Amino acid sequence: MRILKYIVLLLLLLGIAFIVFVATQKADYKIVRSKEIKISKDVVFSFVTDSSSNQDWSPWKSNEATFENIKVVPNDSLEQNISISEIKNESLIRFQKTKNGVLLTWEMKGNLDFNLKLLSVLQGGVENTLGDKLEEGLLNINNYLTKELKTYDIKVNGVVTKHMTNYIQQIDTCSISEFQKVSKTMLQNMMHFVEKNNIEIVGLPFITYENVNFNKKEIIFSMCVPVVEEILTTPGSEISGGHFDEFTAVKATLTGDYSHRKNAWNKARNFARKNRFLEDSYNGKFIEIYKVSLPKERKPSKWVTEFYVPVKKKVYIPKPKPEATENVNTTPIENTTTKQTE
């Protein structure tokens, strides 16, 4: 019996010694991990710095960690505060362009609480404990972008009739690389305006363009929400009423990430040219409609976007024969095309 008491006492002393050992471990730490992702730097930067995408690549469960963007240096770095089990850690992700894509370097530093110290001791050090998490996060970014961004399909639906629509809009100008972020913020602003003013909407949000030119550094566009009746707003308001009449368009549908928008627009425009149509921005508008998108669907490979290129049929005037110029009928001839309605 006495021996058993000694054993229990010894185990108790060892337990206390172990707790003291864990508690006296160095609290501050700094860990760095890197990974090359073979996707363009702009795409990776836009994805990682979008605060709504944290849940798509975070190596921690949503109830374990929260992310707060502190500073974003365009195409260079992202500073964040990452709170893990309510312990704040400083995070810095750098983006360096490489021959095949971008090199992500993720640095995290902070102080370990007792639980993390214990886990660190059991797993052979903080490098293994948190270092593995950083590696997991970088791998998540790579896997998500590689799979989700490269899985897409574009279908040209043909010639359709786009019906008359009333809408409210917010007009802005931004660089093509910043378009997704800016348009997302504008959409949130528009939906807040709709709710605040109790406006009835009759369809999905869409974007109109003055022109579709991907060679320009800046893009002029309007974020629009369709409404029942044309709405008048006060002068100087950032949101105004708009309207377009029925027009003919070539329609294309993209299933996949918005990074393939340029390809979708080009396919629709090529279809128009091959079928002897002229683009007609005077009577119609270049339109994108987000049929399936955030927040309903988080996976870009499942997003559905419709594109409309306004067109009109080419008109041909036959050249008169030299010997019978005065008798030639020069009435324009317009070919007919079967159209769908939208």
Side-chain angles (χ1 to χ4, degrees):
M1 192 69 177
R2 183 176 296 179
I3 295 176
L4 180 60
K5 289 182 179 179
Y6 286 145
I7 293 174
V8 172
L9 180 60
L10 178 61
L11 291 175
L12 180 60
L13 291 174
L14 288 175
I16 294 174
F18 180 72
I19 291 174
V20 172
F21 174 75
V22 171
T24 56
Q25 292 297 298
K26 186 178 179 180
D28 60 312
Y29 75 91
K30 178 179 178 181
I31 301 172
V32 180
R33 291 290 189 274
S34 297
K35 182 174 182 58
E36 183 180 26
I37 297 179
K38 296 181 180 179
I39 296 176
S40 71
K41 181 181 177 181
D42 290 345
V43 172
V44 178
F45 183 85
S46 178
F47 173 71
V48 176
T49 57
D50 183 350
S51 57
S52 66
S53 71
N54 291 331
Q55 59 186 294
D56 296 318
W57 60 268
S58 170
W60 297 279
K61 294 180 181 179
S62 58
N63 60 346
E64 291 179 338
T66 57
F67 292 71
E68 179 188 5
N69 286 5
I70 301 300
K71 182 179 180 181
V72 179
V73 179
N75 283 322
D76 180 76
S77 61
L78 166 66
E79 292 183 25
Q80 295 177 307
N81 282 335
I82 303 179
S83 297
I84 305 171
S85 299
E86 300 183 355
I87 303 298
K88 186 168 70 174
N89 303 269
E90 297 178 24
S91 169
L92 173 64
I93 301 179
R94 294 188 180 90
F95 302 78
Q96 181 180 355
K97 187 175 181 179
T98 65
K99 182 179 179 181
N100 298 316
V102 59
L103 177 66
L104 262 62
T105 301
W106 190 358
E107 172 189 308
M108 199 159 81
K109 60 183 179 179
N111 293 292
L112 303 175
D113 62 2
F114 180 82
N115 290 333
L116 283 176
K117 286 182 179 180
L118 175 60
L119 189 61
S120 174
V121 169
L122 295 176
Q123 294 185 352
V126 68
E127 280 287 337
N128 293 331
T129 306
L130 292 178
D132 289 349
K133 284 296 185 181
L134 298 195
E135 290 178 0
E136 181 183 345
L138 293 173
L139 184 61
N140 289 344
I141 294 172
N142 179 72
N143 291 344
Y144 187 89
L145 292 178
T146 300
K147 178 181 177 181
E148 291 297 326
L149 297 192
K150 292 187 177 181
T151 302
Y152 74 98
D153 177 69
I154 298 173
K155 178 181 178 181
V156 177
N157 306 97
V159 181
V160 301
T161 297
K162 197 79 179 94
H163 293 307
M164 181 277 292
T165 300
N166 294 315
Y167 55 88
I168 54 174
Q169 65 179 346
Q170 182 179 357
I171 304 172
D172 203 351
T173 301
C174 70
S175 64
I176 291 180
S177 62
E178 290 291 314
F179 171 74
Q180 290 190 36
K181 279 188 178 181
V182 174
S183 62
K184 183 185 295 186
T185 300
M186 290 175 64
L187 177 57
Q188 293 172 345
N189 186 31
M190 292 289 290
M191 298 312 294
H192 176 72
F193 179 84
V194 166
E195 293 175 4
K196 181 180 178 180
N197 293 278
N198 197 27
I199 298 173
E200 182 181 358
I201 61 177
V202 292
L204 295 170
F206 61 93
I207 282 178
T208 65
Y209 299 91
E210 293 296 319
N211 192 8
V212 177
N213 187 344
F214 290 93
N215 294 322
K216 291 184 176 181
K217 293 183 178 180
E218 290 188 332
I219 186 170
I220 302 174
F221 67 98
S222 299
M223 174 60 72
C224 308
V225 176
V227 294
V228 176
E229 298 179 351
E230 191 166 2
I231 294 176
L232 299 177
T233 56
T234 57
S237 172
E238 63 178 6
I239 294 177
S240 60
H243 165 94
F244 62 74
D245 292 319
E246 182 175 283
F247 66 92
T248 300
V250 170
K251 174 185 174 182
T253 302
L254 164 66
T255 302
D257 183 72
Y258 301 137
S259 58
H260 305 290
R261 292 168 52 253
K262 180 179 179 180
N263 196 359
W265 279 115
N266 287 340
K267 285 195 173 184
R269 301 175 93 171
N270 288 338
F271 178 91
R273 285 191 288 269
K274 289 179 181 179
N275 289 274
R276 300 181 180 277
F277 282 93
L278 295 173
E279 293 183 12
D280 184 17
S281 58
Y282 180 79
N283 293 303
K285 290 183 176 293
F286 294 89
I287 296 175
E288 284 181 7
I289 300 179
Y290 305 117
K291 302 290 286 187
V292 179
S293 61
L294 291 169
K296 180 180 178 181
E297 176 57 61
R298 291 212 58 80
K299 293 184 176 180
S301 62
K302 295 183 179 181
W303 294 346
V304 178
T305 310
E306 294 179 346
F307 302 81
Y308 294 87
V309 176
V311 295
K312 62 182 178 181
K313 197 66 178 177
K314 286 184 178 179
V315 177
Y316 297 92
I317 302 177
K319 294 182 179 180
K321 295 180 181 180
E323 65 275 12
T325 303
E326 296 181 355
N327 297 323
V328 171
N329 182 0
T330 59
T331 302
I333 299 175
E334 181 173 347
N335 293 333
T336 58
T337 302
T338 301
K339 295 186 290 185
Q340 305 173 42
T341 59
E342 290 292 316

